[in-house]
Amino acid sequence: MTVGGRISVSEGKLTVFGNCILHDVHDNVVITPASGSGSGDSIINGAFIGVRSDQKGSRRVFPIGKLHELRFMCVFRHNFWWMTQWMGSSGKDIPFETQFLVVELRDDTHLNDGSEDEAEGSVLYAIFLPILEDDFRAVLQGNEQNEMEICLESGDPAVDKFEGSHLVFVAAGSDPYDVITNSVKTVEKHLQTLSHREKKKMPDILNWFGWCTWDAFYTNVSADGLKQGLESFEKGGTPPKFVIIDDGWQRVGMDPTGIEYRSDSSANFANRLIDIKENPKFQKNGKEGHRADDPAMGLRCVVSEMKDRHSLKYVYVWHAITGYWGGVKPGITEMEHYEPQIVYPISSPGVQSNNYSDVLESITINGVGLVNPDKVFDFYNDLHSYLASAGVDGVKVDVQTILETLGAGHGGRVKLTRKYHQALEESISRNFQENAIIACMCHNTDTLYSAKSTAVMRASDDFFPRDPASHTIHIASVAYNTIFVGEFTQPDWDMFHSLHPMAEYHGAARAVGGCAIYVSDKPGQHDFNVLKKLVLPDGSVLRAKLPGRPTRDCLFSDPVRDGKSHLKIWNLNDFTGVIGVFNCQGAGWCGVRKKMVSHDEQPSTITGFIRARDVDYLPEVAEDGWTGDTILYSHRAGEVAYLPRNASMSVTLKPREYEVFTVVPVAALSIGAKFAPIGLIKMFNSGGAVKELKYESEKSTTISLKVRGCGLFGAYSSTQPRRIVVDSQEAEFEYDVESGLVTLALRVPEEELYLWNIVIEL
């Protein structure tokens, strides 16, 4: 059978554009063409894979066909809460709980997208998206016969009947990012339970610098600690504009028979929520066991003081999707109208086959106080309306994947997750001005394919300040997870410490990530030199436009294990591209030990290369008639390099080193001069400062720009400018003849988000 002329199953082979992906395809495998998948060679050619089966069961595994000697990259749940990347070439390499997979193919039909590099242009990318069907959720896994398998689960023994025709969406094309985007959009149209990121309203916190209390205080956070932290930032000239009050503000308690479990971050996962209001640490003169009834003496007072004294724009607070780690406590007056009941999590065998979380084990032993699904909107609405009345602007909602373990008796994991998320998003919409939610610990497809409006989602496991091996793992995991998660939300890279041996490494990654930028510094423990590469004096940040993703040539290499590959992450600004290059070698997931490990204590110095077309959509921000020449400005080296079309430049990095390159299309002007605006060259994402750009040629050539921020502005010019005017006043500038670098100093503007008008005459 042929689907759309380009995907077919015939004679036991699943082929795409004539290329065989799977051999020995089982007879019960069925293919259903996708409708309305898009048009164009690079966009979509897709179909749904399903199976015929007359057997019942709440968990079934179906072999599909053999994958052999084809490079792939997948993201899978390495533990209960989070995903990471894995590379392989055979079916047996596919881990349990694989939720996204891309296979590299060489196009035998010679489909070419016009790329100058014929070898690169002949590569096809086949995408596999296991999805939801009714009350079942599908994932991929491999077996020892090199077969790709579909694992289908409902999470409820009573839910055992399935149709089986639309379990995995498969598509292919010559541009991996376009294929992935349009695949998710096709699944969106099919399921009608999710929305693509492009349709979602982004909360304004993404554009401002923030502070999260977690690593600063853990659950010992208090109103006094918040005050100390904000004052400390202000003294250094880098004021946060949003604060996330993380775990530690709620009223919680254990059952008399509960078994306490505390991680090194001091949260007790046996605790349950006993009131929707704050604990005494956030009340004026509050004492444990005594709560002030006057709202003006509670959280409202704390929030209003922070906003008034420190010019905060937004305050978010943390809560678990079930209220707290152990849910809501039954049998108490404050919570009885939500009808919570203790239920005991039952986790998937696939999750158990990877890294079974200690936190999940504790929650499983103590159970979860699960709010009646029919009452969960009331619970969220009461909680969020109280927070809104206290001046809180949004929430970080954590522990989300726990719902998949609680589906028995509620119609299964998919149905329960969807009901909770519909209630959660409705409450967010009703009670907060923006789409003000950060989703966290939510890396299952039950959640991803149920996210209609949630626009920001944590993209990997936490920043662990005391685990030296975790930092390279963190950067690589976020980058590869973003290939998938970034289609649903703007990925959140988590907080970090500005005063830390790896602070610049983390800061650079976030600058190219397009994410919110926030730290979790303890009061008085800051490196303002690092922060000022990310944050302007008005508290705003130069955020790149897209989710930062690995470059094409990194998709199937392994930048944490192979000992030879850099990780390169690309993004776009309004008129420039940006690439972060990282040496991430030395630590990653171990498939044998089933956990993250340091496998090389002394990883090698690595030399690779960088080129303009590493920024995949760079032509979209270039001037008409762009020749392909670019300027590369290296942040750490402070050097300007002119790269002709298709040229490359070598990059050498020691272990745990990074470099950030601003990539600027060169404009060839009518007078024969060449020009490229770089931006604020002391910032990680220099080009994010350039907001408008116009070239005018009459008797002479002038370049008009609008630039945000302050500090040293830089541009490349093949000829020395005759003069530069800033806001109608002639400005002093310097010109380096050898490199062509033009620089001038911009003072700190008096207005927030001010745009300087710069006119350069050549």
Side-chain angles (χ1 to χ4, degrees), residues 186-459:
T186 301
V187 172
E188 173 191 8
K189 180 179 179 181
H190 168 69
L191 292 178
Q192 299 184 21
T193 59
L194 68 140
S195 294
H196 189 271
R197 169 182 50 83
E198 294 172 356
K199 295 181 179 179
K200 295 179 177 179
K201 176 180 174 59
M202 293 293 157
D204 191 43
I205 62 167
L206 295 178
N207 302 310
W208 302 94
F209 173 57
W211 179 46
C212 178
T213 63
W214 182 241
D215 283 316
F217 304 109
Y218 299 117
T219 54
N220 295 319
V221 62
S222 66
D224 287 341
L226 289 168
K227 179 181 178 182
Q228 293 168 18
L230 291 169
E231 289 175 350
S232 181
F233 280 109
E234 287 187 346
K235 288 177 182 177
T238 311
K241 292 299 179 181
F242 73 87
V243 167
I244 302 172
I245 304 174
D246 214 294
D247 189 358
W249 70 273
Q250 294 169 292
R251 293 185 63 83
V252 298
M254 280 178 59
D255 295 344
T257 58
I259 300 173
E260 180 175 355
Y261 178 85
R262 292 183 181 271
S263 71
D264 61 358
S265 57
S266 78
N268 179 6
F269 303 108
N271 276 337
R272 309 193 200 283
L273 190 67
I274 60 176
D275 199 311
I276 63 171
K277 298 179 180 179
E278 71 281 352
N279 63 42
K281 293 184 296 177
F282 292 86
Q283 298 163 8
K284 283 276 189 179
N285 306 316
K287 296 180 180 179
E288 190 60 48
H290 299 279
R291 214 196 149 271
D293 290 329
D294 183 359
M297 301 296 285
L299 187 61
R300 184 197 301 176
C301 177
V302 175
V303 172
S304 64
E305 284 188 4
M306 285 196 298
K307 288 184 174 181
D308 293 343
R309 293 184 181 181
H310 304 286
S311 300
L312 283 180
K313 293 180 178 293
Y314 307 105
V315 175
Y316 280 38
V317 301
W318 178 99
H319 70 80
I321 199 163
T322 50
Y324 199 69
W325 295 94
V328 170
K329 192 169 185 177
I332 58 175
T333 302
E334 293 84 355
M335 295 294 170
E336 62 184 2
H337 49 293
Y338 305 125
E339 301 176 9
Q341 292 186 345
I342 301 299
V343 293
Y344 293 89
I346 302 173
S347 58
S348 163
V351 168
Q352 296 176 26
S353 297
N354 291 331
N355 181 3
Y356 191 67
S357 163
D358 291 342
V359 175
L360 178 60
E361 185 174 2
S362 169
I363 296 172
T364 299
I365 291 170
N366 288 290
V368 176
L370 184 69
V371 169
N372 183 338
D374 292 331
K375 301 286 185 178
V376 71
F377 172 75
D378 295 337
F379 170 66
Y380 290 142
N381 189 53
D382 289 348
L383 172 60
H384 295 156
S385 62
Y386 173 73
L387 292 173
S389 72
V392 171
D393 302 287
V395 287
K396 172 184 174 182
V397 182
D398 215 339
V399 202
Q400 294 195 16
T401 56
I402 194 65
L403 294 174
E404 74 174 53
T405 69
L406 308 175
H410 296 288
R413 54 187 290 171
V414 173
K415 184 169 287 185
L416 182 66
T417 297
R418 191 163 291 156
K419 189 153 192 174
Y420 262 66
H421 277 276
Q422 287 171 346
L424 177 65
E425 292 187 336
E426 183 180 351
S427 178
I428 297 292
S429 176
R430 176 177 294 194
N431 291 291
F432 300 120
Q433 293 297 311
E434 292 199 343
N435 189 15
I437 176 173
I438 302 170
C440 193
M441 300 179 83
C442 50
H443 280 194
N444 61 0
T445 45
D446 313 54
T447 299
L448 286 169
Y449 290 123
S450 299
K452 273 281 193 179
S453 60
T454 300
V456 178
M457 180 179 289
R458 272 277 304 281

Side-chain angles (χ1 to χ4, degrees), residues 36 71 84 98 148 169 220 230 237 273 281 329 336 339 351 371 504 514 521 597 601 609 613 625 659 680 718-719 747:
R71 294 200 301 172
T84 194
T98 291
M148 177 190 290
F169 182 73
N220 295 319
L230 291 169
L273 190 67
K281 293 184 296 177
K329 192 169 185 177
E336 62 184 2
E339 301 176 9
V351 168
V371 169
E504 285 212 7
D521 294 355
V597 300
E601 296 295 337
F609 67 90
R613 66 173 180 270
E659 182 60 280
L680 295 178
S718 62
T719 60
R747 62 180 174 82

